[in-house]
Amino acid sequence: MGLFDYFKKKPEEVVPPAPAEKPAPEQPQSFFGKLRSALKKTNDILNTDIRDLFKREGRLVDDEFLGELFAALIKTDMGVAAANKLRDRVKVDFRGRVVHMNDILTAVKQELRGLLDQPGQAQEINFAASGPTIILVVGVNGSGKTTTIAKLCQRFKDQGKKVVLGAGDTFRAAAVEQLTIWADRLGAEIVKGDPGADPASVAHRAVAKAVELNADICIVDTAGRLQTQTNLMQQLEKIHRVMSKQIPESPHEVLLVLDGTAGQNAISQAQGFSTAAKCTGIMLTKLDGTAKGGVVVAIREKFAIPVKFIGLGEKSADLAEFKAPEFVEALFEDLA
């Protein structure tokens, strides 16, 4: 039909073009989906190296095989001690036998779940029996501490809780400004101090404000200088004292933020802060940006501190409760 014939048609014969179909709304990604995406780089390492161990159908478990398995596990940054335990489990179960990949995977995953298990330790926050729950957050500069506090605040706000933030990293103006922006976005009360002010005084006023407002949660940021600096450790101890004078059981949680991309350096950070700050839990950030997701294993193997949350992305909802079984499955997905 030509253009002229088209316009000669009666109005009722003119069929308007069908409206374009609207794209289906994007479904929120499940926890396991986010975890799988975050650990993809680590998973790719294991996929490649462990499959290489089984280029032929069956493989004799001998010293050469055990050495290659150890090397593959070390690449994930899980540390020598943890990799040794996994290798030794395979050695005890299969040495001198011809095995298939699923045999090895079953043993390794079972041992790994045991290493990551946190018996008797609550995954979630240890909430106060009454009054505000006081959470002190520590970690080195650049670990993602301020952003993680915002994510934690969002998590509590989504649960219907009233939150007060304390901008205790007074040595870094940018940290106070960033936390203030987040507080405005999330509708949370914030207590600040002048640049260079005593962080303990900010912590004191933040706890007082939480009590005054009958808030459910008070999250206090702290300075993030390197863990080797004695004055920082002394400052953390002082903050503990001023908090406990107002609420004897506080802080109820001391959460250490570790950068997942820091690899084994995260272990030294945990060592320094865990002693001075009396850490009760770890929040591991930036797992989506590293091929070294095995650092979670190294942390759990070395410390009796539970990994409570892991950061799986940049969005405020991308802070997830750590679950060992799902973590292990995501590490070895597509290998079974």
Side-chain angles (χ1 to χ4, degrees):
M1 179 187 296
L3 183 62
F4 179 74
D5 294 325
Y6 177 83
F7 284 107
K8 285 173 62 180
K9 292 178 70 176
K10 295 178 181 179
E12 62 270 16
E13 294 178 300
V14 178
V15 180
E21 292 187 8
K22 293 182 179 180
E26 186 177 347
Q27 296 299 316
Q29 198 175 21
S30 66
F31 166 78
F32 185 76
K34 289 181 179 180
L35 183 60
R36 180 178 56 193
S37 299
L39 294 178
K40 185 179 186 305
K41 293 178 182 178
T42 314
N43 176 265
D44 286 346
I45 290 175
L46 289 170
N47 260 285
T48 300
D49 290 1
I50 290 183
R51 286 188 189 281
D52 283 348
L53 293 175
F54 293 92
K55 287 181 178 177
R56 55 185 182 272
E57 184 63 22
R59 180 79 188 268
L60 176 67
V61 177
D62 54 11
D63 289 342
E64 180 184 8
F65 176 90
L66 293 169
E68 291 175 16
L69 175 63
F70 177 81
L73 296 171
I74 280 291
K75 282 187 181 180
T76 70
D77 229 5
M78 67 173 56
V80 172
N84 268 330
K85 288 182 179 179
L86 296 177
R87 179 189 58 187
D88 289 347
R89 168 66 184 270
V90 172
K91 180 179 179 179
V92 169
D93 289 356
F94 302 108
R95 186 176 178 84
R97 291 172 50 187
V98 174
V99 297
H100 299 280
M101 187 164 65
N102 282 351
D103 301 324
I104 299 299
L105 286 178
T106 299
V108 167
K109 287 162 71 172
Q110 185 177 16
E111 186 72 15
L112 194 52
R113 281 191 290 267
L115 289 177
L116 290 172
D117 190 27
Q118 302 175 157
Q121 293 174 322
Q123 295 288 308
E124 271 283 13
I125 295 297
N126 177 34
F127 291 105
S130 61
T133 296
I134 312 301
I135 301 172
L136 188 64
V137 180
V138 302
V140 300
N141 290 340
S143 62
K145 183 162 52 72
T146 307
T147 304
T148 302
I149 289 173
K151 291 179 180 180
L152 196 59
C153 178
Q154 177 71 71
R155 185 180 183 88
F156 292 136
K157 295 285 287 185
D158 290 345
Q159 295 171 359
K161 299 183 186 300
K162 182 187 291 186
V163 182
V164 171
L165 299 178
D169 189 357
T170 56
F171 299 117
R172 222 166 43 93
V176 176
E177 292 170 6
Q178 187 182 7
L179 197 60
T180 301
I181 292 171
W182 277 114
D184 291 341
R185 288 179 185 173
L186 298 173
E189 186 81 20
I190 186 167
V191 174
K192 300 179 285 187
D194 294 329
D198 182 5
S201 69
V202 176
H204 182 278
R205 290 190 293 110
V207 173
K209 176 62 72 173
V211 172
E212 175 192 334
L213 297 178
N214 196 27
D216 301 293
I217 307 286
C218 177
I219 308 174
V220 179
D221 190 13
T222 59
R225 290 176 178 163
L226 289 175
Q227 69 275 13
T228 52
Q229 295 188 0
T230 303
N231 61 340
L232 174 59
M233 299 299 108
Q234 292 173 342
Q235 184 62 244
L236 292 174
E237 292 171 355
K238 183 180 179 181
I239 291 172
H240 268 268
R241 291 196 301 272
V242 301
M243 284 181 166
S244 63
K245 285 181 180 178
Q246 297 181 85
I247 301 177
E249 301 82 13
S250 68
H252 302 94
E253 292 277 9
V254 181
L255 301 181
L256 169 62
V257 178
L258 293 180
D259 180 350
T261 64
Q264 290 296 304
N265 189 47
I267 304 298
S268 66
Q269 294 174 19
Q271 182 72 65
F273 276 106
S274 63
T275 302
K278 305 179 181 68
C279 295
T280 60
I282 289 170
M283 297 193 288
L284 192 64
T285 67
K286 307 179 189 179
L287 271 189
D288 55 315
T290 177
K292 304 294 188 178
V295 71
V296 177
V297 185
I299 289 169
R300 280 298 303 144
E301 196 278 331
K302 189 171 181 63
F303 299 99
I305 305 172
V307 178
K308 295 208 171 191
F309 297 99
I310 51 177
L312 302 177
E314 295 297 324
K315 297 178 182 177
S316 59
D318 291 337
L319 184 71
E321 180 185 347
F322 177 72
K323 300 175 183 178
E326 286 89 340
F327 184 86
V328 173
E329 289 305 315
L331 274 181
F332 291 95
E333 194 191 25
D334 300 329
L335 269 168

